[in-house]
Amino acid sequence: MQQGNYVDGFVVPVKTSEKEAYRAIADKAARIFMRHGAVEVVECWADDVKPGKHTSFPQAVHLKDSETVVFAWIVWPTRELRDRGMQAVMEDPEMDKDPAHMPFDTKRMIFGGFGVLVNH
């Protein structure tokens, strides 16, 4: 990743029993993001994420016993290309944006855009 990159990051609780359904949705979405300018899409399934005393990934998304945390990011070449690409993704007819079709609670998803500060 180069210094000029821009990153969209998110954390979401996914029903553990729906891991494969989530993988399929994430794979399809990644292909759409890449088609619209993203240079990398990474989706990570938690396997060592513990609740904290004050804050943690599980607490941040109000994780239920039947869920697993997903930590993910999308890398774009620049903020400007991200803004155009994200708009194109949201308008892409292949992108399913219906929360009823998602194996997670979209209301508990945490997301945001970040400029790269340090990259080695």
Side-chain angles (χ1 to χ4, degrees):
M1 204 173 354
Q2 298 172 359
Q3 192 72 19
N5 289 131
Y6 193 80
V7 177
D8 281 312
F10 64 91
V11 179
V12 63
V14 177
K15 294 175 188 173
T16 304
S17 64
E18 298 287 332
K19 182 177 183 178
E20 291 309 314
Y22 182 83
R23 183 193 315 270
I25 288 170
D27 185 62
K28 181 179 179 182
R31 293 172 195 273
I32 295 168
F33 279 107
M34 300 289 285
R35 185 168 62 230
H36 292 294
V39 296
E40 182 179 33
V41 178
V42 179
E43 300 261 358
C44 305
W45 191 262
D47 71 356
D48 186 21
V49 178
K50 297 168 183 59
K53 291 184 180 182
H54 302 288
T55 189
S56 67
F57 284 116
Q59 289 167 299
V61 296
H62 302 286
L63 193 71
K64 297 175 183 173
D65 290 340
S66 61
E67 296 173 328
T68 300
V69 173
V70 167
F71 173 60
W73 60 93
I74 304 166
V75 180
W76 303 88
T78 65
R79 167 73 192 266
E80 294 75 24
L81 290 173
R82 176 267 199 166
D83 290 349
R84 287 198 308 263
M86 190 62 79
Q87 181 176 349
V89 166
M90 292 301 122
E91 294 170 356
D92 192 303
E94 288 187 52
M95 188 64 148
D96 186 354
K97 296 173 282 299
D98 185 349
H101 297 159
M102 302 301 162
F104 59 90
D105 183 351
T106 58
K107 294 180 206 107
R108 292 185 287 138
M109 179 180 196
I110 299 169
F111 58 91
F114 301 84
V116 175
L117 185 61
V118 175
N119 181 25
H120 295 274

